[in-house]
Amino acid sequence: SLIEKNDTGYTIQLDSMGGDKVDAIECDAVVLAVGATAAGKLASSSPAISSFDGTKDFDKLRGVTCVAVRLFLKPNTSVSANLNGGSHAKTQLPPDIAKAMSDSPVTVCGAGIGSIDELKETGFCIYDLQRMHDEFSVDYYNDNVEENDQVAVLEIDFYRANAFVDLDDDQIADLALRAVSAAFGTAKIDSDDIVDAVVLRARNAVSHFAPNSALYSPDVKLGDGMYICGDWVDRTGHASWSTEKSVVTARQAASALSRDFGLKDSQCKVIPAAKDTPQLSALRQSARLLRSVLPPKTLPPSPWVFAKQLFSGDKDP
């Protein structure tokens, strides 16, 4: 696929899957809602994009491989209730997992958990979707779903998953169960309790944020009639990250397009990000002060890690 400049706007040429047919779309403007690596590939094949100054560093953009696993599980016979942090307070996950996740339906895990070889460089997030999605909630089930058709729903998203992306779906599902058990110190859910599983692989597709990578982030407007959005795009000071940043830059791109083309009724307002809590604000200020007094000798860690190192007596932060 490529994008070409024409007399009135742009021509997008789309290659058909598995065929020689090329579909052409004429348009006045283009909004690229793609990942960083995809943007780099488009720019390399499309002079209409690569001619803009904001794309000169696209060849430096990198992606990481991610694997998302959604497990539909036999529900536990007892319902865990009064859980915190989610849209819903009940789950049919095993009680030990429900207890481990009692404060939040989301758990973020770093690499190297459980001495599992496949996870040496792989971090992951665990989600209890019964507490996050209305259609999986226990109350919705009770009103709309036969008891025999009810399932608990657990999602595990792995980042930097190169070590096992090529395993088959059953192997990855079992790895996900082992990862959950290692993260929480709970009994491993039996593979026979998996009613269904969905495994999605995104090779080198998710934005790789590393030192200096922000220098390569373009503005939402690349040039006349060409706009871009995503979690790797500069959101001009808005304190958002990840999925929220993608939404923010999409609205910013839509707003820029609307101004340029005189559109009056576009709904592009961006809601300001919530301010830091007093605790986080105090921690940031403390970390900045500590760094000014004793600058770290290597790449500065996050403020809370840096403070912990100093207060724990680490002599070489």
Side-chain angles (χ1 to χ4, degrees):
S1 301
L2 61 87
I3 299 174
E4 298 177 315
K5 191 80 173 74
N6 59 37
D7 292 338
T8 59
Y10 294 93
T11 300
I12 303 174
Q13 295 188 14
L14 301 174
D15 299 331
S16 61
M17 295 291 291
D20 297 328
K21 182 180 178 181
V22 176
D23 294 323
I25 301 173
E26 304 290 332
C27 56
D28 297 318
V30 177
V31 178
L32 297 172
V34 297
T37 53
K41 292 176 182 177
L42 274 173
S44 66
S45 64
S46 305
I49 300 176
S50 59
S51 62
F52 296 121
D53 288 341
T55 68
K56 67 181 187 302
D57 290 320
F58 275 17
D59 61 323
K60 300 175 183 176
L61 298 169
R62 298 291 181 266
V64 297
T65 293
C66 296
V67 174
V69 185
R70 182 167 294 187
L71 301 174
F72 299 88
L73 305 166
K74 294 178 183 178
N76 195 269
T77 53
S78 63
V79 174
S80 298
N82 301 317
L83 304 173
N84 300 316
S87 299
H88 305 277
K90 301 175 184 176
T91 187
Q92 292 165 297
L93 288 173
D96 56 349
I97 295 178
K99 182 178 180 181
M101 301 184 72
S102 61
D103 289 332
S104 173
V106 180
T107 300
V108 180
C109 305
I113 284 181
S115 300
I116 299 173
D117 286 344
E118 296 92 337
L119 302 183
K120 285 181 179 179
E121 297 185 0
T122 303
F124 55 97
C125 295
I126 304 169
Y127 304 90
D128 179 358
L129 296 190
Q130 283 199 293
R131 295 160 60 191
M132 301 174 69
H133 289 202
D134 293 344
E135 67 272 22
F136 298 140
S137 69
V138 173
D139 290 336
Y140 178 84
Y141 280 171
N142 290 339
D143 294 336
N144 299 279
V145 180
E146 295 291 335
E147 185 175 350
N148 291 337
D149 294 328
Q150 296 182 15
V151 289
V153 189
L154 194 63
E155 179 153 338
I156 303 92
D157 293 349
F158 295 99
Y159 304 91
R160 293 181 61 89
N162 305 69
F164 57 87
V165 65
D166 292 321
L167 297 179
D168 64 37
D169 287 1
D170 289 341
Q171 291 172 315
I172 290 178
D174 185 71
L175 174 62
L177 294 179
R178 287 190 285 136
V180 171
S181 173
F184 295 139
T186 54
K188 178 177 175 290
I189 298 173
D190 196 311
S191 296
D192 291 339
D193 287 338
I194 299 176
V195 177
D196 196 7
V198 178
V199 178
L200 300 178
R201 300 167 176 83
R203 291 177 171 83
N204 300 316
V206 178
S207 302
H208 181 201
F209 299 107
N212 296 325
S213 62
L215 299 177
Y216 313 139
S217 297
D219 294 332
V220 295
K221 182 177 178 178
L222 294 175
D224 291 341
M226 184 67 66
Y227 312 87
I228 196 163
C229 60
D231 65 354
W232 56 283
V233 175
D234 187 357
R235 73 272 200 251
T236 58
H238 191 278
S240 54
W241 292 99
S242 192
T243 305
E244 183 185 10
K245 186 179 176 185
S246 296
V247 175
V248 167
T249 55
R251 285 181 169 268
Q252 291 174 335
S255 180
L257 185 153
S258 298
R259 289 194 301 271
D260 292 345
F261 285 83
L263 305 180
K264 302 299 184 183
D265 297 321
S266 299
Q267 304 296 315
C268 309
K269 183 179 179 180
V270 175
I271 300 173
K275 295 182 179 179
D276 286 347
T277 62
Q279 296 87 342
L280 181 56
S281 180
L283 187 56
R284 290 188 190 280
Q285 292 175 7
S286 299
R288 282 194 290 268
L289 176 61
L290 290 170
R291 285 174 178 164
S292 67
V293 174
L294 183 61
K297 297 178 181 179
T298 59
L299 182 70
S302 61
W304 41 90
V305 172
F306 185 63
K308 180 180 177 182
Q309 289 176 340
L310 287 177
F311 290 129
S312 65
D314 190 332
K315 301 300 183 182
D316 191 23

